[in-house]
Every structure is written in structure tokens, then in C-alpha cells.
Amino acid sequence: MKEKKRNPNPTIKDVARLANVGIATVSRVLNNSEKVSEKTKERVIEIIEELGYSPNINARTLSSKNINSLSFVTPDMGNEFYGIMYSLLEKKISRNNYRLIVFPLIDQISLEKIKQNTDLIYQTDGVFFSSLSVSSIFHNRIPPKKIILIDSYDERFDSVYVDNYQIGKTAAEYLISNSPSNSTFYLVTFKELNNEFTSFVFKKRDEGFLQVMEKNNKKVKIIYSDLMWDGGYKAIGNIIKRRPKKYSSIFATCDMIGVGVKKYLEEKNMHPKRDYSLIAVDNLPISRLFQLTTIRQPIIEMVEIAYEMFISSMEGRDKVEHYQLEGKIVERET
Amino acid sequence: MKEKKRNPNPTIKDVARLANVGIATVSRVLNNSEKVSEKTKERVIEIIEELGYSPNINARTLSSKNINSLSFVTPDMGNEFYGIMYSLLEKKISRNNYRLIVFPLIDQISLEKIKQNTDLIYQTDGVFFSSLSVSSIFHNRIPPKKIILIDSYDERFDSVYVDNYQIGKTAAEYLISNSPSNSTFYLVTFKELNNEFTSFVFKKRDEGFLQVMEKNNKKVKIIYSDLMWDGGYKAIGNIIKRRPKKYSSIFATCDMIGVGVKKYLEEKNMHPKRDYSLIAVDNLPISRLFQLTTIRQPIIEMVEIAYEMFISSMEGRDKVEHYQLEGKIVERET
DNA sequence: CTGTTAGCGCGTTCAA
DNA sequence: TTGAACGCGCTAACAG
């Protein structure tokens, strides 16, 4: 037999032995150290290829203390909002040679996993939480890491977020100024369960909205919807059975709900700005297809700031920073 | 000062010292070994809490060889399809005490990362690829891991997938049998770039569709769309300017495109099954809101089978297995 | 430029 | 039931 059976997991030692060099030399080759002659370098690389060797990352980080990875905790995989956020953030931090690892916090299982101090998240250099409440997840056993909050607020941690009260208020003002005085006001929203994931964005939007409405002596019909694509459709369908005579002014507290609402109204032959006004929140890509007027979540800016906060904190800043951003209206058909 | 400043990264040694035991004992406590007295166990746990100690996972796996994590490589975060797939798979494999780590392969950056043999993916016990072509990602330097393909096929690896030719054919047959003989046939599809991510699902659907159409002597207008929510809307809008007199029979090769197509037709006052038939592919949650007739991707079954393949392979199976599933029509309004 | 060696933090013998 | 000591695979001095 000319070739021996391949070692399934060759180590740096095997490489060194076969290349007739010391392990340090192999290590230097692996780490692109300058101080190694072209000739030996070539030989080492050849052996590496031949063996299909790949360095053991555990040994590596154990020895070098260099982890170079960050965590991105999201309450929802398969959601465009977080998909965009992830990809923007990944682009940024990869400039600094970090890996960004996704931790979807989507059910009880993933919650339990993440709470165990043996979890991978405890081995990363820092954690970005998106739209999540750190204290309700970890209670008092918060990981001793650099923590940065995107789209939520906690006075103890760096945070960048939009003021959801303000979003509610903005929506209210938009509707009031775009509706006849006798119109009927609806709030179609999601009732958050008090579970470990939520940071109560919907509740805050509701409150901001209702506060302005109250101040203007407007009555509001509150309708609760599921967080599903047909949630808004069904919810509004329970209240508006056929085309009302009066003008309808509707605040859907997210695009996912808003899309269903608009679909329903269209089927009832109601026309935007003639029969109804509708404003939602998020500015997801799909809201453009629907020509939905919506309040934009400034994802790009949030990620930009989160990144800057991370960098400055790596560079020694230790005072906590908070950035509150504004949601701006993207006016379209409704 | 009563309490000393906390060591930022206490090790098992620190715990051992403070608890007046050997590190082996601490290790036993951490691993729930039976052979340790209640008393010392309590004391150790107390110190662990006090220190906020969490075991170094690198040292742990380095020493024990036990990784217990799997990779899930997806071409798209923020896409419901993969979100559902991930969460189903994660539920399954967590029964066997595995972690499922997400690797979004969404741009050149993530591609480069994943190709480096130092990447985290090389440290996991197995890799699930969804809708991705392994060979075009890794060329010939494929990671020496257990590899399982979901929604794509490669003779060298365990695969579970739907036959995309069959999907195209099914769509064609549906349209032919639901349309008057003089109707106009459209194929609205996405032109895949030959990049490193694709597994040419669209191309195959196109081919299956066109093959049946040709056999039935039907001419087909092919329209290319972006993979965006308004892609189908714009694409069909370029061809159909106003409501055509003849019946239109349309195959949109995914729901994302189909949704936009239907939206456009509705705006032109065209009614399903009176003016047009439309069939898409995927059965995403949003297709229900649109009452889109679509060909269901059997996500649940695919994940189930992928899981079973993984388990049986862990139990010693070494023959490669392939499962081809069928896409079934979900008939709704169109 | 290159090889030797001492840890990194932990699991696991092996004695006690 | 416990503790000391070895080794996992690698990086980083240090010495040559």
C-alpha cells in the first residue's frame, strides 16, 4: 500500500512530523508569520493540503485567548427585519475580523440553552441583543460580557433604539391630520404576552397613540391581532363587516398587521385616502408592494451606531451610552 | 473592603481553591457526577455562584472531544421558509442534546469565512445545508464532516429534496387543466446567477414547466423577475399593461413572485378563475393571506427525514441515502 | 529563520 | 469520596 489510511483528525504535530519541522514552524505558517522561509513554508502547506488538516479552533482560542466572535441574539429567524439587521451588522464587524454568530431566541428550548453558562454565547466577546429584554431573559444572572442593545433600552447597557411612544404619537398625529373630523379611529395591535422574550414595543406604541388620541378627544376602537400574515386581515374583518359610510383611520402597529388590514379593505372596495387612512410601522420591504404608509424603523442607523458603540467600547470607553432615534413617516398610498 | 474585586474570568482552579477542594471535584460537580458528597457539592456550587464562574467551553471540548453541536447553513436569513426549517430542526436535534448553529451564507463575506478551515463550522459534528450546492461552495475542499442536504441533491451526500422538475410539471398540468384552450401562458421566474450559492431550483422548475407546455403545444411567455416582494408586480406589469381579453395562465416559480403578480392582477380588476389562473411554489405563510394557489414545499417532512438521516448516520449507517419528496398543490383562490 | 517548552482550562485516569 | 498529574492541540515566549 503506497498511501496509508488518512488520519481522520490530523493535528499540528502530524503536520510537523511529516514536514520535518517543529510544530512552531507549522503554527507560523498557519498564522502567516513573516519569519519563515519560502521553502519550508511550501513544504508545510503541501503537507497540510495532503492531510486535509484544519486547525482545532478550541485549542487555538484556549491558547491565544483570542475568540474574535460576537453574538447576535434575535427573537425571530425568518423575519426580514432581523435578517437585514444581521447582514448589515455582519458586514460592519467583519471589517474588524469578527465572526457574528446568530442565536435565535424563538422558543423555550433555545431560551434554556442560552441560559446555561456552558452555552456558546458565553464564549463570545460581546453580545448584540435585538428587540429583546436582557433582564427578563437572564434575570439577575447576566453574562459578564459586553452587551449592546439594538431596538430596545436598558439603562445598564449600551442601547440604540427608537422611541416607541413617539412612534405611536407620530402615527396618531398623522391620522388626525389626514382624516375628516368625524372619522372612526382604529388601533390594530398585538397583545404581547408577558413572556421572557418581549420588550413591549407594541404596548408602548399603543400607549403613545392612545395618549394623543385622548388629548384630542378621539375615541379609539382597539382590535387585537395575531402576529401572522393574515392576522390583520382577520382582526379588522371581525369589526368591519362591510364598507362603512364614515372614513376609517387606522393605526396598525406593525407592517405585518398593516398588510392584512389593507388587503381586507381593498377587498371591500375601500380606497386609500378616500375611504380610509392607514399607517403602520417598520417599513419592511413588503410594505412597498402594498404601498403602505408606514413609520420607518431606522435599521441602518441603528446598526451603524451599535457598531460604533462596540468599537469605542473595545477601545476603552466604559461609560454606558444610549441613543434614541426617531421613526420617520414613509408616506405612500395610504 | 469586604469583597475583593471579582476576577473577570474565574477558572476551575479558582473555584477549587476557594472551595478547598481539588479541581477534579469541581469538574465532577459541573458534570453531575454521582461520586461527590452532598456537602462538598453544595459548597462548590456556592462558590461557583459567587464567582459567576462559567466553564470554558474551549478547554472543555479540547479535553473531552465532545462538541455536540451541528451547523445549519442557510442562503437567507430573514426568510420565513428557512426560519421555519431552522426552528423545526432545532426542536428535533435538541432532544439529542445538540446545539444547532446558524451559518447564513448571504454574501461574499460569509462565503469567505465559511471556506476558511478555521471557521466554527469545521468544529461542529455535522452540517445541514439548506437549498445550497455543497460542491459549488467548497469546490473540492469539502469539510470532512457528516453532511446532510435539505432541499437540494448531491449523490455524494445524504439528501432530502423535492423534485423541482416535477414541481414545474405539476404547475403546468394544473394550469392546462384549469384554463380554456386559448389562454395565454406565462412563466414568471427568477434568473439565477451562476454564483456560489445557488442550486438552480428555479431553473429546474422552469424546465419541468416548459417541457410539459411544449408537449402540449402551448407557447409560453417567459418573464424574469427580481427576488423581491415587488418583483412579480413589476415583472408582470411590464407585459400586461391592461386587462387582457384572453384568459391568463400564470406560473410564478415562488410565492414571493406570485404575491406580487396577484397584487398586480387584482389592481387591474382581474378575477381569479374568471380572468386568470395563477399557481406559485412554496406555500409560505403569506400565501394564505393572498389565497394563492401554490405548490407546497414539504418542510416538515424534509426536516423529519433529515433528522432521521442524521441519527441513523450517528448510529453507524454509512451508506448514503436520498429521499425525493413530492410537492403537492394547495388549491386556494387562484 | 527554526525548534523547544511552558502553559491555556478542563476532563480523566490512577492512587490514596 | 477525593486530589494530583497528565494530556487535549495550539500559541507564544525563549533560546539557538
Side-chain angles (χ1 to χ4, degrees), chain B residues 5 27 38 138 146 163 170 201 219 226 271 309 315-316:
Chain B
K5 195 181 161 209
S27 177
E38 272 307 313
F138 292 103
K146 179 64 198 164
D163 179 0
T170 304
V201 294
K219 278 197 187 135
D226 286 338
H271 287 273
M309 287 195 293
E315 285 168 352

Side-chain angles (χ1 to χ4, degrees), chain B residues 112-131:
Chain B
E112 293 307 329
K113 289 245 170 74
I114 220 174
K115 277 169 132 173
Q116 288 179 2
N117 60 183
T118 53
D119 195 71
L120 182 56
I121 199 171
Y122 284 82
Q123 312 298 322
T124 58
D125 302 311
V127 184
F128 293 90
F129 285 92
S130 60
S131 316

